[in-house]
Structures are given as C-alpha cells and as structure tokens.
Amino acid sequence: MYSHNISHIDVGLKWQEEYHMQKILADAGITPGGQYKPKNIIDAVGKYLGAKANTDIIHPAITCRKEKGYQNQLIFELIICFDKELNLTHCDDVAAGLYAHCPQDDSYIVY
C-alpha cells in the first residue's frame, strides 16, 4: 500500500509542475491583480491543456467567489479534469459547471 501511495504522490507532484497555473496564466498575459473575463481565463488554460493533449482545446472549470473589500468576484480555483485513465478531459460535466459562481457575461473577475 505504501508504494501505491508514493506513486500517487509522484503523479501529483508531476502534475503540479506540468500544470503550473500561475505560469500558464502569465504566459497568456493574465497576471495577479488584474481583472479578466472568466471566459478569457478558461480559453487561455484550455488552449494550453489542448496543446498538451494534442487537440484544440480542453475546457477547465473555474470557481469564483465574492470577498469583502473587492467590487468584483475573485478567482477561487481553476479545475483540470482527468478521465479514469488519467488523460486530460473537458470539465463540462463537473457538478457546478464550467463557470461555478462566476459571471458568464462581460463582467470581470480579479486574479
């Protein structure tokens, strides 16, 4: 059982490096403190994930939340989805949807 746990830890560490969200977003010109449309963030991450999976785009999911002191909602989390074989897959079917608690209009959120 111990070696099985180590392999999961190793995979998690590999993914943390491979899918480093701050770097992915920065490479797309999305930087901390800026205000962005949620769709632009999903598209930027989706293009990166798609390139990793040799396809056009793979939709991540995003969760936003309102924090005291901020006019606009903040990014709370970005979610990458994998299938049972640990291949990247679209997050279209996650429980809260692609835009959990995030505006889907032309509103901006803070990163």
Side-chain angles (χ1 to χ4, degrees), residues 40-110:
N40 294 350
I41 294 169
I42 283 184
D43 287 348
V45 175
K47 288 176 185 174
Y48 176 87
L49 298 176
K52 286 286 194 181
N54 296 318
T55 188
D56 291 335
I57 193 166
I58 292 185
H59 299 127
I62 188 170
T63 303
C64 299
R65 71 188 225 186
K66 186 75 173 146
E67 290 289 330
K68 189 175 184 176
Y70 289 90
Q71 179 179 351
N72 294 342
Q73 292 183 353
L74 305 175
I75 294 175
F76 181 65
E77 64 184 344
L78 284 165
I79 302 165
I80 299 173
C81 296
F82 297 89
D83 63 19
K84 290 180 182 178
E85 287 78 39
L86 302 180
N87 298 307
L88 286 166
T89 189
H90 294 285
C91 293
D92 298 307
D93 296 327
V94 294
L98 290 180
Y99 295 94
H101 310 290
C102 294
Q104 294 184 43
D105 55 13
D106 283 339
S107 298
Y108 288 84
I109 58 175
V110 178

